[in-house]
């Protein structure tokens, strides 16, 4: 097996036991990126020199017999809205261009302490707004399984990097599906943890009450490994959970025996769900049933309002979070203006792309006097009702299974001029963010075009470990085995 095909868990073990050096692993992955990323466009920045230096340091610590962390020598890729000291954070936006953070995000600090080797930053939809990574102001990212198709979004660069064998692990952020959707389109595993499990410190904010950082891996075991490193209380994030989350450091228990799985009837009744996706997901659930799970229908009646609710809450928060990019406090500054108002508006006019502007306008509108009660406040109430639907369903079942997206990866350019159609592609993922529950996407086969399909599993708040174990139980049955796209 080539080094780029190995999982993070096996690389970590081999590096620790000196079967292979961190330097060899880093070189192998950099060579693979060098050979193929020109066709994929996963990375916005590659720090070959820095990665080699980190790998050399790990090797010398191992040679001296010093203890090293769980990710010692394991290469990782980071979505370019999460800070890594010394690497530019672009958010794939023109407005962020000159920003090089002098500090690590909580998650990247944890990964550094665990010995991870940072290969570089990955492409995203500008400020994580989108479902295809086409809203990036920097570059297009292609799906490694079919270069004509999108990798999904907004963490498309991270998913593509993992699926292409550029990095065994990556980080993404998920506000409405941005980890799970690209994981399903690219055929890898992606987890959105329960809100509060992972600190948001050092993640550029989009919708703060919805945003969560989470791991990508080619196997559930690797995904769980990365989560165990990045989870934990952070006093710098007031929404970070103070109590430890059960089971995150324990080995996975890949068993479906006695597990109660719910199939939300509304999810399977939506227009636009492809038959192939439906059949793959139902076959995956059947496989879990044959392993001893009980399956029953559940109902989430308020889910029909999830998309409009999300696009009010997320845009309201975005309009507030993005107000800081004014050319004075943060971001690039427009030239040739002679008063402060022109400076603000020209900076924002030049710096933001069309989707970001659309969301700032929508968010400002729903928060404005006279509309606040009619839209924003009402959306918050509906959000609570959606969360209550989940709570009720989780009184009957342990895990809810569904598709991740109505269809597999679409063609580049297919939906980019139809924002509403693009928004609807998140129909199955955004409600977990609204309800603050965890969700994972795990590969469950391919469609007739050869494109990967994702099975989404959702769980009770802070039962992330159970979700991972269930995903692992299915993974064993699926035969997918951490498949890499053949390039
Ligand atoms: N696609 C959704 C959006 O455009 C979700 C994005 C995300 O999760 N960051 O807002």
């Amino acid at each position: 097996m080539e080094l780029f095909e190995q999982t993070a868990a096996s690389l970590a073990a081999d590096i620790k036991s000196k079967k292979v050096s961190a330097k060899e692993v880093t070189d192998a992955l950099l060579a693979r990126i060098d050979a193929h990323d020109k066709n994929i466009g996963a990375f916005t920045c590659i720090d070959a020199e820095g990665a080699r230096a980190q790998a050399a340091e790990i090797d010398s610590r191992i040679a001296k017999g010093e203890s090293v962390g769980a990710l010692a020598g394991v290469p990782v890729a980071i979505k370019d809205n999460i800070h890594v000291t010394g690497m530019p954070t672009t958010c794939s936006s023109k407005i962020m261009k000159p920003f090089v953070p002098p500090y690590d995000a909580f998650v990247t600090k944890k990964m550094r302490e665990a010995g991870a080797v940072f290969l570089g930053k990955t492409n995203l939809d500008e400020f994580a707004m989108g479902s295809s990574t086409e809203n990036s102001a920097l570059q297009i990212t292609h799906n490694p399984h079919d270069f004509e198709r999108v990798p999904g979004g907004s963490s498309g660069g991270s998913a593509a990097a993992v699926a292409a064998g550029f990095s065994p692990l990556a980080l993404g952020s998920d506000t409405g599906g941005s980890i799970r959707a690209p994981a399903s389109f690219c055929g890898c595993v992606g987890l959105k943890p329960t809100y509060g499990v992972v600190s948001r410190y050092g993640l550029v904010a989009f919708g703060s009450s919805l945003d969560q950082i989470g791991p990508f891996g080619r196997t559930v075991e690797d995904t769980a490994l990365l989560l165990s490193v990045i989870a934990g209380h952070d006093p710098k994030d007031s929404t970070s959970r103070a109590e430890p989350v059960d089971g995150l450091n324990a080995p996975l228990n890949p068993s479906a025996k006695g597990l109660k799985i719910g199939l939300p009837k509304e999810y399977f009744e939506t227009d636009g769900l492809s038959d192939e996706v439906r059949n793959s997901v139902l076959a995956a659930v059947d496989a879990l049933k044959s392993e001893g799970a009980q399956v029953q229908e559940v109902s989430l009646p308020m889910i029909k309002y999830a998309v409009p609710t999300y696009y009010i809450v997320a845009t309201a928060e975005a309009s507030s979070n993005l107000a800081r990019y004014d050319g004075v406090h943060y971001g690039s500054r427009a030239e040739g203006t002679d008063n402060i108002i022109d400076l603000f508006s020209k900076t924002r006019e030049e710096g933001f792309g069309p989707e970001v502007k659309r969301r700032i306008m929508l968010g400002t509108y729903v928060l404005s006097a006279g509309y606040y009660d009619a839209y924003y406040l009402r959306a918050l109430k509906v959000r609570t009702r959606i969360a209550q639907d989940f709570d009720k369903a989780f009184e009957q079942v342990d895990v809810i299974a569904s598709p991740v997206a109505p269809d597999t990866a679409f063609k580049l350019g297919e939906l980019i001029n139809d924002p509403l159609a693009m928004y609807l592609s998140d129909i199955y993922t955004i409600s977990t963010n609204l309800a603050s529950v965890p969700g994972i996407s795990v590969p469950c086969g391919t469609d007739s075009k050869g494109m990967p399909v994702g099975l989404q599993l959702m769980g009770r708040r802070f039962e992330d470990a159970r979700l991972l174990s269930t995903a692992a139980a299915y993974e064993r049955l699926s035969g997918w085995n951490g498949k890499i796209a053949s390039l």
Side-chain angles (χ1 to χ4, degrees):
M1 189 187 265
E2 302 270 359
L3 287 173
F4 70 80
E5 291 170 312
Q6 266 183 248
T7 63
S10 83
L11 286 173
D14 287 358
I15 291 169
K16 245 173 245 168
S17 63
K18 298 194 212 159
K19 215 166 139 191
V20 66
S21 69
K23 171 85 173 42
E24 285 169 280
V25 172
T26 302
D27 283 343
L29 293 189
L30 287 171
R32 181 148 174 101
I33 294 169
D34 198 43
H36 297 289
D37 198 38
K38 50 183 176 299
N39 301 322
I40 293 182
F43 285 90
T44 54
C45 133
I46 293 160
D47 181 19
E49 209 180 299
R52 290 200 176 96
Q54 291 163 47
E57 199 204 314
I58 293 292
D59 286 334
S60 90
R61 284 175 51 193
I62 291 175
K64 283 190 235 149
E66 290 176 19
S67 78
V68 288
L71 295 180
V74 177
V76 295
I78 308 293
K79 186 178 183 179
D80 204 0
N81 59 351
I82 300 170
H83 297 333
V84 177
T85 307
M87 283 188 199
T89 301
T90 69
C91 293
S92 294
S93 177
K94 286 198 279 185
I95 213 158
M96 291 285 285
K97 261 230 167 111
F99 185 65
V100 180
Y103 64 100
D104 278 334
F106 177 86
V107 288
T108 45
K109 182 162 171 274
K110 287 274 192 192
M111 290 163 79
R112 200 184 288 283
E113 288 164 3
V117 170
F118 296 98
L119 295 171
K121 307 294 287 290
T122 58
N123 198 27
L124 62 148
D125 285 296
E126 184 174 2
F127 285 102
M129 297 177 187
S131 309
S132 66
T133 311
E134 291 166 291
N135 292 332
S136 167
L138 306 184
Q139 67 204 44
I140 292 289
T141 299
H142 302 262
N143 191 309
H145 293 273
D146 177 349
F147 295 165
E148 308 258 283
R149 294 181 185 273
V150 301
S154 64
S155 316
S158 287
V162 169
F166 295 158
S167 177
L169 295 174
L171 284 185
S173 66
D174 191 313
T175 306
S178 278
I179 292 175
R180 291 158 286 157
S184 93
F185 280 15
C186 291
C188 51
V189 182
L191 170 77
K192 181 202 88 76
T194 306
Y195 187 79
V197 166
V198 177
S199 165
R200 292 177 293 110
Y201 177 75
L203 164 71
V204 177
F206 160 14
S208 309
S209 75
L210 304 155
D211 299 339
Q212 259 306 270
I213 295 173
F216 284 98
R218 280 191 300 270
T219 63
V220 176
E221 183 190 22
D222 278 6
T223 309
L225 172 68
L226 183 50
L227 180 66
S228 70
V229 170
I230 62 173
H233 179 58
D234 177 11
K236 291 199 180 101
D237 174 356
S238 60
T239 61
S240 152
R241 181 174 161 95
E243 303 78 37
V245 177
D246 278 351
L248 291 191
N249 293 306
L252 293 171
N253 169 27
S255 158
K257 219 170 167 116
L259 191 78
K260 290 193 189 134
I261 300 179
L263 290 176
K265 81 177 167 54
E266 295 80 5
Y267 276 47
F268 291 90
E269 279 167 1
T270 40
D271 294 339
L273 173 59
S274 107
D275 286 341
E276 288 189 283
V277 169
R278 178 201 308 268
N279 294 341
S280 293
V281 168
L282 292 177
V285 173
D286 269 347
L288 285 165
K289 199 169 164 184
S290 70
E291 286 287 288
Q294 298 164 30
V295 180
Q296 70 180 76
E297 194 177 86
V298 291
S299 176
L300 301 166
M302 294 301 283
I303 230 71
K304 55 178 175 290
Y305 303 115
V307 173
T309 304
Y310 171 83
Y311 278 94
I312 292 173
V313 174
T315 58
E317 294 185 18
S319 74
S320 162
N321 278 325
L322 270 56
R324 71 189 67 169
Y325 304 101
D326 56 8
V328 179
H329 296 87
Y330 286 92
S332 59
R333 177 177 298 181
E335 304 274 323
T337 56
D338 49 21
N339 65 62
I340 191 81
I341 299 297
D342 279 356
L343 172 74
F344 289 164
S345 57
K346 195 155 173 239
T347 295
R348 290 166 71 80
E349 147 93 63
E350 289 174 1
F352 290 133
E355 182 60 30
V356 176
K357 286 178 183 156
R358 189 177 295 128
R359 299 207 184 189
I360 292 173
M361 286 193 290
L362 189 58
T364 307
Y365 179 81
V366 298
L367 288 177
S368 56
Y371 294 107
Y372 181 95
D373 290 355
Y375 294 107
Y376 182 66
L377 212 54
R378 183 163 302 189
L380 291 186
K381 289 180 183 160
V382 178
R383 180 180 185 175
T384 302
R385 298 277 302 273
I386 290 171
Q388 287 167 346
D389 275 1
F390 274 97
D391 293 345
K392 241 183 247 153
F394 285 129
E395 283 168 13
Q396 300 163 52
V397 296
D398 304 308
V399 163
I400 296 177
S402 81
V404 176
D407 210 340
T408 53
F410 43 89
K411 288 242 165 97
L412 284 158
E414 199 176 317
L415 298 185
I416 194 67
N417 296 318
D418 188 350
L420 280 185
M422 190 75 93
Y423 293 174
L424 283 172
S425 68
D426 303 320
I427 189 159
Y428 302 127
T429 49
I430 54 184
S431 43
T432 59
N433 301 72
L434 290 167
S436 311
V437 300
I440 192 169
S441 172
V442 59
C444 69
T446 49
D447 69 0
S448 51
K449 299 185 278 299
M451 297 310 290
V453 182
L455 163 70
Q456 177 172 229
L457 299 169
M458 298 167 269
R460 298 187 189 103
R461 287 178 209 103
F462 304 108
E463 290 195 359
D464 304 59
R466 184 203 292 268
L467 218 50
L468 285 159
S469 286
T470 309
Y474 172 66
E475 177 182 55
R476 226 184 23 196
L477 304 168
S478 75
W480 186 265
N481 287 334
K483 207 184 279 180
I484 290 184
S486 47
L487 302 180

Coordinates of all heavy atoms in Angstrom, one line a residue, residues 128-131 154 174-178 206 310-311 359 426, ligand 1:
A128 N -17.6 30.5 3.6 CA -18.3 29.2 3.9 C -19.8 29.3 3.4 O -20.7 28.6 3.9 CB -18.2 28.8 5.3
M129 N -20.1 30.2 2.5 CA -21.5 30.4 2.1 C -21.7 29.8 0.7 O -21.3 30.3 -0.3 CB -21.8 31.9 2.0 CG -21.7 32.6 3.3 SD -22.0 34.3 3.2 CE -21.6 34.9 4.8
G130 N -22.2 28.6 0.7 CA -22.5 27.9 -0.5 C -22.4 26.4 -0.3 O -22.2 25.9 0.7
S131 N -22.7 25.7 -1.4 CA -22.9 24.2 -1.4 C -22.1 23.5 -2.4 O -22.3 22.3 -2.7 CB -24.3 23.8 -1.5 OG -25.1 24.6 -0.6
S154 N -19.6 23.9 1.9 CA -18.6 24.8 1.5 C -17.2 24.3 1.7 O -16.2 24.9 1.2 CB -18.8 26.1 2.2 OG -18.6 25.9 3.6
D174 N -19.1 23.6 9.5 CA -20.4 23.2 9.1 C -21.4 24.1 9.8 O -21.6 24.1 11.0 CB -20.6 21.7 9.5 CG -21.9 21.1 8.9 OD1 -22.9 21.7 8.9 OD2 -21.8 20.0 8.3
T175 N -22.1 24.9 8.9 CA -23.1 25.9 9.4 C -24.4 25.4 9.1 O -25.4 25.6 9.8 CB -22.8 27.3 8.8 OG1 -21.4 27.6 9.1 CG2 -23.7 28.3 9.4
G176 N -24.5 24.7 7.9 CA -25.8 24.1 7.4 C -25.6 22.8 6.7 O -26.5 22.4 5.9
G177 N -24.4 22.3 6.8 CA -24.1 21.0 6.0 C -22.8 21.0 5.3 O -22.4 20.0 4.6
S178 N -22.0 22.0 5.6 CA -20.7 22.2 4.8 C -19.6 21.2 5.1 O -18.6 21.2 4.4 CB -20.2 23.6 5.1 OG -20.8 24.5 4.2
F206 N -19.3 32.8 10.6 CA -20.4 33.0 9.5 C -21.7 33.1 10.3 O -22.2 34.2 10.4 CB -20.3 31.8 8.6 CG -21.5 31.5 7.7 CD1 -22.5 32.4 7.6 CD2 -21.6 30.3 7.0 CE1 -23.6 32.2 6.8 CE2 -22.7 30.0 6.2 CZ -23.7 30.9 6.1
Y310 N -33.4 28.6 8.3 CA -32.0 28.7 8.2 C -31.5 29.9 7.5 O -30.6 30.6 7.9 CB -31.4 27.4 7.5 CG -29.9 27.5 7.2 CD1 -29.0 27.2 8.2 CD2 -29.5 27.9 6.0 CE1 -27.6 27.3 7.9 CE2 -28.1 28.1 5.7 CZ -27.2 27.7 6.6 OH -25.8 27.8 6.4
Y311 N -32.2 30.2 6.4 CA -31.7 31.4 5.6 C -32.1 32.7 6.2 O -31.7 33.7 5.7 CB -32.1 31.2 4.1 CG -31.1 30.3 3.4 CD1 -31.3 29.0 3.3 CD2 -29.9 30.8 3.0 CE1 -30.3 28.1 2.7 CE2 -28.9 30.0 2.5 CZ -29.1 28.7 2.3 OH -28.1 27.9 1.8
R359 N -26.3 37.6 0.9 CA -26.6 37.2 2.3 C -26.6 38.4 3.3 O -27.4 38.5 4.2 CB -25.7 36.1 2.7 CG -25.9 34.9 1.8 CD -25.5 33.7 2.5 NE -25.6 32.6 1.5 CZ -25.5 31.4 1.9 NH1 -25.4 31.0 3.1 NH2 -25.6 30.4 0.9
D426 N -29.3 21.8 0.5 CA -29.0 21.5 1.9 C -30.2 21.1 2.7 O -30.1 21.0 4.0 CB -28.6 22.9 2.6 CG -27.4 23.5 1.9 OD1 -26.5 22.7 1.5 OD2 -27.4 24.7 1.7
Ligands
LIG1 N1 -24.7 25.5 2.1 C1 -25.1 26.2 3.2 C2 -25.0 27.7 3.0 O1 -24.8 28.0 2.0 C3 -24.3 25.7 4.4 C4 -23.0 26.3 4.4 C5 -22.2 25.9 5.6 O2 -22.5 24.9 6.2 N2 -21.1 26.6 5.9 O3 -25.2 28.4 3.9

